[in-house]
Amino acid sequence: MQEHYQPSVSEPAAQQAWAEQGVFNAKEDASKPKFYCLSMFPYPSGKLHMGHVRNYTIGDVLSRFKRLNGFNVMQPMGWDAFGMPAENAALKNGTAPAKWTYENIAYMRGQLKSLGFGIDWQRELATCTPEYYRWEQLLFTKLFEKGVIYKKLGTVNWDPVDQTVLANEQVIDGRGWRSGAVVEKREIPMYYFKITDYAEALLDDLEGLDWPEQVKTMQRNWIGKSRGMTVRFAVAEDSRQGLPESHADYIQVYTTRPDTLMGATYLAVAAEHPLAAAAAQSHPELQAFIAECKAGSVAEADMATMEKKGLPTGRFVVNPLNGERLEVWVANYVLWGYGDGAVMAVPAHDERDFEFANKFGLPVKQVIELDEPQPYDPKNWHEWYGAKEGTRLINSGEFDGLDFQAAFNAIGAKLNALGAGEAKTQYRLRDWGISRQRYWGCPIPIIHCDACGDVPVPAEQLPVVLPEDVIPDGSGSPLTKMPEFYETACPKCGGHAKRETDTMDTFMESSWYQFRYMSPQDDSQMVEPAAAAYWQAADQYIGGIEHAILHLLYARFFTKLMHGEGIVPVREPFNRLLTQGMVLAQTFYRVREDGGKDWFNPADVDLTFDDKGRPAAAVLRADGQPVEIGGMEKMSKSKNNGVDPQAIIDTYGADTARLFMMFAAPPEQSLEWNDAAVEGAHRFLRRLWRTVYEFQKDGAASAFSGNHNELSGSLKDLRFKLHNTIAKVSDDYGRRQQFNTAVAAVMELLNQFDKTDFAGEYGRAVAQETLEAVLLLLWPIVPHISENLWAALREDSPLWQQRWPQSDPAALVQTEIEMMVQVNGKLRDKITVAADAPKDAVEAAALATAGAQKFMEGKAPKKIIVVPKRLVNIVV
Ligand code: ANZ
Ligand code: ZN
């Protein structure tokens, strides 16, 4: 055994041994329980960042823990390889997205390997290969034929200068990111998934998942189920000119608050509403306003916060309950895509309506009062205006005095009877538009024929291969300029036809990769049935909270589709979810003359701390001049505070990086980068190495396996600590998933080990037992050093073949404990008593000691204080 810890030598050796033995290659094995541990696969952006290292270390810790516990573990890895960054890089460097992507994959694969993750590399996949996306195309054609995928017009951002469609993130302050031109809205045909048909199943099945409550809530809110009513307001006789037949008689609205109907003071419709168009015919100002609304952002977040704008139409409708005439306004806060694109505005009890009414001087009529009336306070708007609980109706005629639910029911029944409304459940979720006018994505397998329409590409003609030796020039998708790609024959009539040149949203590929890992090389089907039956779903999924909504929702949706097609036996893809926190680092900047900031990387800055350990001052190493400290922030390019994991691996080794990550914070919380803590982690590993080195120098030993109660005091104490640590660490890894406390417990155990006297009988055996257990307990987190040190302790078989240590029940009970005996607060003696000895027995034993006798000087005790399991203080 090497005397000194040298990770640069020992880590590659351990990795090589695992690879040669195929330790992490998973095979279906019905004799063992399976554990499928999945981490969100990376986008191959160039190199790993700290977030990746944290994510994959957590996955690896759980995988290795389960492995030692007898599970048949599968931990795969792959590449979410389509997407815009490759096209942007192509524009910048003139390389084909494919080449750039494959080079990045090669480099990042090497990085992952150097971190020693127990990955089954035989299952590696990249979503940009035809071997992968062909199955997505096949599924697409089947679902298209069934109508689960359909075509309709969708709105996109159009850059009139670059003549191209822009993704949302390419629109900056309403302008194209490259051209700077004001972006227009365009309607183009796109393909949509009917995810709304699955809204109820997506909600219901959340119940059975072992996911953070917060993530489930985010999913529920996104689906946004609300129970309300459709209410029809008759169009007043004098207001019907120019209205299409469908809207001539009444305007329908969707409301979750029919109880407030008597408080409606106007109606508001979206700019796209037919009534708006009819009213605008003789109203140029309204026409201009409608055009302005249509050009604006469609993001819902913006709708809520943007300045409220609107114009009256001069048209009126009638409140079905009381016959009141209400004017119809066109308002920019009403969405065309939600409900009926029209709202009954109740400014007294809805925040948006209130803001709008205030701005335009429209009436506000209160119809709800708190059971215990309170003066109106604008700061407590919601408590007062928006309240449902503890309220009753006022100014509502026959409905006065009813509480929310009673009023909802009574007004609902009345509207029913009048034929003016009915109950309706509404979802916020929209159908999923998957067409992208981009090059680097999976081609949509549809052929357009003038005679036959949209024809799905037949299975035997799949895959539709994306040409890879293409360098986009930024002016739209190159596929639209490649007749060799789009010119084709119609599969139905054989006539001249054109391929679809749009590609799919890259969320598609990441929606089903969890199943492809089960049989990644199968070239006859999407998922091999026996593999799907064995692996079922991921037992554990680990990834960033930023994917809490869309990715998880789409993957859940795809699982339901694949289940419906008989491809997988499960309805949910990820049984248990861990969302890891962000990795933060200190930020440093200087303010430029123009007021902007230059950000400096933590690696280029020297930071000093005050005596409380808080950052005090920082200087840029290059010029020795001070820089401002900007606080802890998520590592990002924009703040230039990313720390490159490769530098840590090169300096300290993979185990140090892994240990720091797991020790510095619980996995779901944010982790603050800290150089001193990295060094601390490294020191601990050096100490562990030295401890084992010193021990094994004296020759081989075998672990203690005798009767615990025959051991002498300090060995017994150590074993008590050891077996309690085993129990605690097992619980930390398995149930709690808190790895920082597991590490802390092992550190404490090692401290006690250092203080233990191993001289007597069984000494070496207990030491051997303890060190073996320490290495097993640490293997999930620091596998290289553990594997290496294990080999120094045991020549018979490597660590990866071992089983997780079990705590010895005999050692878990501390039968005897040692307590201090004090007289007037000064230590005078010690006693050894049964751990469960009653208080008076402990007092008697303390009084009887020689030390107590001597220092009490014959006086009677005034008071005896017993601190259980610690000390007895006799006051005289
Ligand atoms: C009257 C009312 C009174 C409303 C009140 C709320 C509070 P959720 O819960 O998200 O489904 N609404 C309906 N359609 C709309 C559209 N196309 N664009 C913008 N807002 C719309 O929201 C339902 C509520 O949002 C509905 O209930 C309606 O306003 C508004 F004290 O009707 B409410
Ligand atoms: Zn045809």
Side-chain angles (χ1 to χ4, degrees):
M1 176 189 182
Q2 291 262 339
E3 183 177 349
H4 295 290
Y5 177 42
Q6 261 187 297
S8 58
V9 179
S10 55
E11 290 188 351
Q15 287 159 16
Q16 199 185 336
W18 295 328
E20 278 169 5
Q21 302 291 318
V23 172
F24 300 109
N25 296 343
K27 277 175 215 68
E28 287 99 72
D29 175 355
S31 70
K32 281 187 188 170
K34 61 98 190 180
F35 186 74
Y36 176 10
C37 187
L38 182 62
S39 288
M40 290 182 184
F41 62 168
Y43 178 78
S45 55
K47 55 185 184 182
L48 293 184
H49 57 63
M50 281 297 173
H52 291 133
V53 177
R54 191 176 192 198
N55 193 155
Y56 304 142
T57 302
I58 294 169
D60 201 40
V61 169
L62 292 170
S63 294
R64 287 173 183 264
F65 170 70
K66 286 290 186 180
R67 179 191 174 86
L68 291 194
N69 277 280
F71 284 80
N72 184 25
V73 175
M74 164 164 69
Q75 183 176 225
M77 185 55 72
W79 309 96
D80 190 12
F82 276 137
M84 262 197 347
E87 292 190 55
N88 296 341
L91 289 182
K92 211 167 126 197
N93 315 322
T95 36
K99 181 165 184 281
W100 182 84
T101 302
Y102 291 124
E103 280 171 6
N104 289 348
I105 288 176
Y107 181 74
M108 291 169 76
R109 182 194 300 117
Q111 287 192 299
L112 288 175
K113 288 192 171 173
S114 78
L115 279 157
F117 297 132
I119 288 166
D120 181 355
W121 284 106
Q122 295 181 345
R123 293 176 189 263
E124 179 183 358
L125 55 81
T127 58
C128 62
T129 59
E131 293 76 23
Y132 182 82
Y133 62 68
R134 59 185 292 197
W135 304 112
E136 190 170 306
Q137 292 179 333
L138 180 64
L139 183 66
F140 186 103
T141 58
K142 287 190 187 159
L143 296 172
F144 181 75
E145 275 160 359
K146 290 187 174 166
V148 176
I149 297 173
Y150 64 96
K151 194 170 155 186
K152 71 169 180 187
L153 287 182
T155 312
V156 294
N157 307 301
W158 177 256
D159 184 324
V161 170
D162 274 353
Q163 291 283 301
T164 183
V165 173
L166 300 177
N168 283 336
E169 57 270 27
Q170 293 176 316
V171 181
I172 296 155
D173 297 330
R175 290 170 184 274
W177 65 309
R178 270 157 50 85
S179 69
V182 175
V183 168
E184 297 168 6
K185 295 254 163 306
R186 275 215 178 172
E187 302 246 287
I188 58 168
M190 303 211 283
Y191 292 91
Y192 285 82
F193 270 90
K194 265 196 195 156
I195 189 172
T196 48
D197 278 1
Y198 291 76
E200 205 57 46
L202 288 166
L203 270 182
D204 286 349
D205 292 347
L206 278 174
E207 300 305 322
L209 299 178
D210 185 4
W211 285 19
E213 213 35 62
Q214 171 209 11
V215 176
K216 290 194 196 181
T217 303
M218 288 162 85
Q219 296 257 313
R220 279 192 202 103
N221 291 344
W222 187 262
I223 297 166
K225 180 175 183 172
S226 70
R227 289 190 189 82
M229 291 193 72
T230 16
V231 180
R232 283 177 292 278
F233 290 72
V235 180
E237 292 291 343
D238 57 3
S239 294
R240 298 190 170 173
Q241 63 279 21
L243 282 176
E245 219 170 287
S246 57
H247 289 75
D249 296 334
Y250 55 81
I251 303 295
Q252 181 162 295
V253 307
Y254 173 70
T255 177
T256 47
R257 300 297 304 271
D259 58 312
T260 63
L261 182 48
M262 298 286 239
T265 57
Y266 64 99
L267 234 71
V269 299
E272 294 85 351
H273 198 281
L275 185 136
Q281 273 168 14
S282 52
H283 196 335
E285 204 192 338
L286 186 55
Q287 233 160 47
F289 176 63
I290 291 172
E292 182 194 327
C293 287
K294 285 185 179 170
S297 164
V298 286
E300 254 180 72
D302 300 342
M303 302 289 277
T305 53
M306 72 187 169
E307 197 198 333
K308 303 274 174 298
K309 289 185 188 169
L311 279 179
T313 61
R315 310 287 181 107
F316 289 81
V317 294
V318 181
N319 186 329
L321 275 195
N322 57 10
E324 233 174 78
R325 266 168 76 90
L326 304 173
E327 183 160 21
V328 182
W329 285 62
V330 179
N332 67 345
Y333 70 96
V334 183
L335 294 165
W336 180 232
Y338 189 70
D340 297 290
V343 304
M344 60 177 233
V346 186
H349 305 289
D350 180 274
E351 190 162 12
R352 292 161 302 179
D353 299 343
F354 179 74
E355 209 185 312
F356 191 84
N358 259 351
K359 182 163 175 187
F360 295 104
L362 294 162
V364 178
K365 179 182 166 197
Q366 185 183 354
V367 290
I368 289 176
E369 190 173 69
L370 294 177
D371 280 347
E372 287 168 37
Q374 281 167 26
Y376 169 61
D377 174 358
K379 275 191 296 245
N380 297 334
W381 196 94
H382 277 286
E383 258 172 59
W384 195 83
Y385 273 76
K388 275 199 215 171
E389 307 302 323
T391 60
R392 61 196 158 82
L393 237 48
I394 55 170
N395 299 330
S396 297
E398 57 184 288
F399 305 105
D400 277 359
L402 298 180
D403 68 12
F404 166 73
Q405 200 53 56
F408 191 116
N409 296 344
I411 291 179
K414 180 88 187 255
L415 289 172
N416 268 185
L418 292 169
E422 47 278 323
K424 187 177 175 197
T425 300
Q426 174 82 33
Y427 299 92
R428 220 183 61 102
L429 185 66
R430 300 279 78 109
D431 275 346
W432 176 20
I434 56 94
S435 295
R436 297 291 180 274
Q437 297 70 39
R438 312 231 64 92
Y439 156 67
W440 190 235
C442 171
I444 292 178
I446 297 282
I447 291 168
H448 303 292
C449 167
D450 284 341
C452 312
D454 299 330
V455 183
V457 178
E460 62 278 8
Q461 289 179 27
L462 290 175
V464 178
V465 176
L466 183 75
E468 289 196 344
D469 52 350
V470 175
I471 305 176
D473 62 6
S475 67
S477 165
L479 296 178
T480 60
K481 292 161 226 159
M482 295 174 67
E484 66 273 33
F485 175 77
Y486 63 72
E487 294 289 2
T488 187
C490 170
K492 266 197 186 153
C493 69
H496 177 247
K498 276 192 167 178
R499 263 184 214 296
E500 174 64 57
T501 53
D502 282 357
T503 55
M504 299 186 202
D505 181 356
T506 57
F507 270 123
M508 293 274 290
E509 287 82 53
S510 53
S511 291
W512 66 280
Y513 76 122
Q514 67 274 15
F515 297 118
R516 185 63 184 167
Y517 278 139
M518 296 174 179
S519 56
Q521 266 110 36
D522 194 328
D523 58 5
S524 64
Q525 57 202 328
M526 195 170 198
V527 189
E528 204 240 310
Y534 181 78
W535 295 109
Q536 298 273 320
D539 297 281
Q540 177 72 58
Y541 197 34
I542 305 124
I545 187 80
E546 65 274 20
H547 296 296
I549 301 181
L550 292 183
H551 161 60
L552 291 178
L553 191 74
Y554 294 146
R556 295 182 59 221
F557 170 54
F558 247 74
T559 303
K560 294 178 194 311
L561 295 177
M562 289 170 73
H563 177 83
E565 294 298 306
I567 301 169
V568 296
V570 295
R571 288 190 168 85
E572 285 288 336
F574 314 124
N575 294 340
R576 188 173 181 182
L577 175 69
L578 189 156
T579 48
Q580 104 252 12
M582 292 182 300
V583 186
L584 317 178
Q586 195 57 259
T587 53
F588 303 99
Y589 65 93
R590 282 179 188 157
V591 178
R592 286 194 307 262
E593 302 227 321
D594 67 3
K597 285 176 179 169
D598 288 325
W599 298 93
F600 300 100
N601 193 275
D604 303 325
V605 170
D606 282 324
L607 182 61
T608 49
F609 297 89
D610 66 14
D611 49 8
K612 292 208 173 80
R614 291 174 306 210
V619 291
L620 186 66
R621 218 166 291 134
D623 60 13
Q625 297 301 308
V627 292
E628 303 292 327
I629 300 173
M632 281 282 172
E633 301 228 25
K634 177 182 177 172
M635 286 188 182
S636 73
K637 284 214 181 76
S638 63
K639 296 274 164 72
N640 189 15
N641 64 336
V643 180
D644 186 358
Q646 200 55 49
I648 310 299
I649 301 167
D650 294 345
T651 315
Y652 298 106
D655 281 343
T656 294
R658 298 170 58 124
L659 178 61
F660 162 73
M661 288 265 161
M662 294 303 100
F663 186 46
E668 74 287 355
Q669 282 174 26
S670 46
L671 180 154
E672 298 190 351
W673 188 261
N674 177 335
D675 287 320
V678 175
E679 277 164 36
H682 191 63
R683 267 198 311 278
F684 171 75
L685 294 180
R686 282 211 309 264
R687 177 180 151 208
L688 176 66
W689 188 278
R690 199 170 52 239
T691 304
V692 174
Y693 176 78
E694 293 298 333
F695 175 75
Q696 58 81 49
K697 259 194 339 200
D698 299 334
S702 30
F704 179 77
S705 60
N707 182 348
H708 177 74
N709 291 318
E710 281 168 17
L711 290 173
S712 66
S714 87
L715 292 181
K716 214 172 188 178
D717 287 350
L718 179 62
R719 263 192 114 240
F720 172 75
K721 180 84 178 170
L722 167 63
H723 286 272
N724 275 287
T725 304
I726 291 172
K728 176 181 168 42
V729 171
S730 307
D731 190 47
D732 283 351
Y733 280 129
R735 183 184 60 89
R736 298 180 64 231
Q737 302 191 328
Q738 301 288 290
F739 315 120
N740 55 327
T741 52
V743 174
V746 176
M747 287 176 169
E748 262 184 50
L749 173 61
L750 271 176
N751 285 340
Q752 187 159 337
F753 181 94
D754 282 351
K755 284 187 235 141
T756 301
D757 177 8
F758 293 107
E761 199 188 1
Y762 301 127
R764 281 188 70 74
V766 172
Q768 173 87 16
E769 182 193 10
T770 309
L771 291 178
E772 282 184 15
V774 163
L775 299 179
L776 291 166
L777 296 178
L778 288 178
W779 190 69
I781 295 175
V782 286
H784 307 90
I785 189 172
S786 306
E787 194 79 58
N788 287 318
L789 293 177
W790 181 273
L793 285 180
R794 292 254 309 250
E795 285 174 348
D796 53 342
S797 61
L799 195 161
W800 58 266
Q801 282 179 350
Q802 308 305 313
R803 281 287 164 267
W804 192 248
Q806 298 300 314
S807 43
D808 174 359
L812 285 178
V813 255
Q814 199 170 20
T815 46
E816 285 184 332
I817 48 168
E818 195 177 63
M819 295 177 77
M820 323 277 178
V821 177
Q822 299 178 338
V823 177
N824 289 339
K826 285 212 178 81
L827 178 63
R828 298 304 187 190
D829 215 320
K830 287 176 180 173
I831 49 172
T832 302
V833 292
D836 53 0
K839 190 160 174 264
D840 47 357
V842 172
E843 287 180 10
L847 287 168
T849 56
Q853 294 289 321
K854 179 170 171 209
F855 288 94
M856 284 167 68
E857 296 168 343
K859 292 179 214 149
K862 284 190 196 134
K863 197 159 75 173
I864 304 176
I865 302 159
V866 178
V867 181
K869 300 198 172 164
R870 300 251 333 266
L871 64 85
V872 184
N873 185 14
I874 303 163
V875 183
V876 294

